[in-house]
Amino acid sequence: MTVIRIDYSPVHELVTSLFAYTDNKNQMHDLGNKWRKEIQKKLSASFTDKLEELDLFELIAYLHLAIVDSPEKDNVERFLAWFADLGEGQLYEILAPYLEDGFPMGLKTFRDLSHEIMTEWHRAYTITPEIHDLLGRSAARMEQLSRELPYIDLIDEATSGIVLDPEDEYNAILLIPTYHIKPLNRMDYVSNQQLIISYAVDDEQVDEDTPTSQLLRMTKGLADEKRLVLLHILAKGPVTFTELQQKTGLSKSNLHYHLSLLKTAGLLRMHFKMPNERYKYSARPESFNQLKAFLESYVFGLSQS
């Protein structure tokens, strides 16, 4: 039986915000380069160089697993002090279930390097209470839904379209609400069938005269002939990327771009198989009902006094 755990912690978001900062080649993040440039002014040259040399992909999943059961995960400063004091044996006990192939860099190096970069990042960048409140509310909502929905439907709802294969077996799935990589989701598969999904949580509506980011993404997603053709094909899905290429004649880069826009708009599903399997794609019918409701609410409802 798959165990589902929803876990919000300000330390999770500290790690994810650092990842978002270093993921500067990805142009899909809402916060983007302007946010990065503002933070870069506060970082030392030596720390910037270290981040450029570091592959956070080697660390991030294991940091989330260290955070989730920490007694100090509700406070960043206390967590950092707790983490720094962890002996190698204690850290091994925490991570042992996920270390079938060992830890290439060594647990001591992992602890010291992770502590150093998290501490420096926390000094330079403060996550606002409003973001923490937003993520906490999302975690509470997902906790409630987890008692009502099968876990595959729960993940589809949280991620706006990631669908796991019911034939795949996971010992545990960790769902973490996150803000800084929005509107993207992140998936980390670690040994022993442990899946970590950091799912994007969008901003709430600022005022009744401003359309939400979600509404803007959906309307942008539909505002292109190629993407409409893709949705027409995907309505008969699921289909593979290669099949979509053959049907549309689009180049790989062009197809990736259009699929990314449709995915971040929540207009399609990505059907996920265990690692080394390719995604399949299909249209997400309920998103069109949502779009209708969002449009009617904004155009005819919210703007009226």
Side-chain angles (χ1 to χ4, degrees):
M1 180 179 176
T2 302
V3 176
I4 300 290
R5 186 166 182 183
I6 296 102
D7 194 61
Y8 163 68
S9 159
V11 195
H12 284 310
E13 193 59 19
L14 178 75
V15 172
T16 303
S17 64
L18 176 57
F19 169 75
Y21 176 80
T22 60
D23 192 27
N24 52 21
K25 293 181 180 179
N26 192 329
Q27 299 301 308
M28 299 300 293
H29 295 298
D30 274 2
L31 294 179
N33 289 327
K34 182 179 180 182
W35 172 74
R36 290 190 187 93
K37 287 177 182 177
E38 287 299 312
I39 297 172
Q40 190 172 18
K41 297 173 186 176
K42 304 176 185 177
L43 301 177
S44 67
S46 60
F47 184 62
T48 300
D49 291 342
K50 179 167 297 212
L51 288 179
E52 289 178 357
E53 297 168 3
L54 182 66
D55 185 1
L56 267 182
F57 281 93
E58 296 181 13
L59 305 180
I60 192 167
Y62 294 99
L63 279 172
H64 285 311
L65 292 169
I67 293 163
V68 70
D69 285 319
S70 167
E72 303 295 350
K73 70 179 182 180
D74 292 335
N75 179 277
V76 172
E77 289 83 5
R78 290 199 302 269
F79 172 85
L80 290 172
W82 171 84
F83 191 69
D85 287 340
L86 279 180
E88 287 183 72
Q90 293 171 300
L91 189 53
Y92 178 78
E93 286 182 11
I94 294 170
L95 297 180
Y98 319 106
L99 298 178
E100 289 179 352
D101 300 321
F103 207 86
M105 71 172 62
L107 289 173
K108 183 178 184 301
T109 302
F110 165 72
R111 180 200 62 202
D112 294 346
L113 179 59
S114 299
H115 182 267
E116 179 184 354
I117 62 173
M118 285 194 293
T119 299
E120 185 71 19
W121 179 249
H122 183 53
R123 286 196 193 108
Y125 179 58
T126 301
I127 300 172
T128 66
E130 290 78 14
I131 291 174
H132 288 309
D133 290 344
L134 180 71
L135 297 178
R137 289 194 296 274
S138 177
R141 176 174 173 265
M142 290 302 147
E143 198 70 62
Q144 176 63 38
L145 285 176
S146 71
R147 295 188 280 272
E148 304 169 4
L149 298 176
Y151 77 88
I152 289 178
D153 293 341
L154 175 71
I155 290 166
D156 184 7
E157 172 68 22
T159 61
S160 297
I162 290 178
V163 180
L164 303 183
D165 193 307
E167 294 184 1
D168 286 342
E169 295 182 3
Y170 297 92
N171 287 348
I173 297 174
L174 175 61
L175 274 177
I176 302 171
T178 185
Y179 179 85
H180 284 81
I181 60 172
K182 69 182 178 72
L184 306 177
N185 303 295
R186 177 181 166 84
M187 298 176 67
D188 291 286
Y189 180 83
V190 293
S191 60
N192 207 26
Q193 288 78 51
Q194 167 78 55
L195 183 64
I196 303 171
I197 301 176
S198 299
Y199 70 90
V201 179
D202 225 332
D203 294 285
E204 295 173 341
Q205 187 149 12
V206 177
D207 62 72
E208 63 181 25
D209 294 321
T210 304
T212 64
S213 297
Q214 187 174 8
L215 176 56
L216 291 174
R217 287 190 204 104
M218 292 178 113
T219 51
K220 180 180 179 180
L222 295 172
D224 184 276
E225 181 182 352
K226 295 183 181 68
R227 292 195 287 278
L228 287 174
V229 170
L230 281 171
L231 288 169
H232 176 72
I233 296 169
L234 292 172
K236 306 175 182 69
V239 295
T240 65
F241 186 91
T242 302
E243 288 169 335
L244 282 173
Q245 259 197 296
Q246 293 169 346
K247 289 175 183 291
T248 62
L250 294 171
S251 67
K252 285 186 178 180
S253 60
N254 207 349
L255 183 54
H256 272 299
Y257 170 74
H258 290 300
L259 288 173
S260 295
L261 287 181
L262 291 172
K263 174 64 189 74
T264 56
L267 293 167
L268 61 76
R269 285 194 166 94
M270 298 172 68
H271 300 262
F272 180 76
K273 283 286 291 179
M274 283 286 193
N276 301 322
E277 294 284 342
R278 295 176 184 270
Y279 282 108
K280 288 187 176 182
Y281 302 87
S282 67
R284 193 164 179 256
E286 62 268 37
S287 63
F288 294 87
N289 294 330
Q290 290 176 337
L291 174 58
K292 180 176 183 292
F294 292 155
L295 275 171
E296 288 179 344
S297 177
Y298 175 68
V299 174
F300 298 110
L302 296 179
S303 61
Q304 294 176 357
S305 57

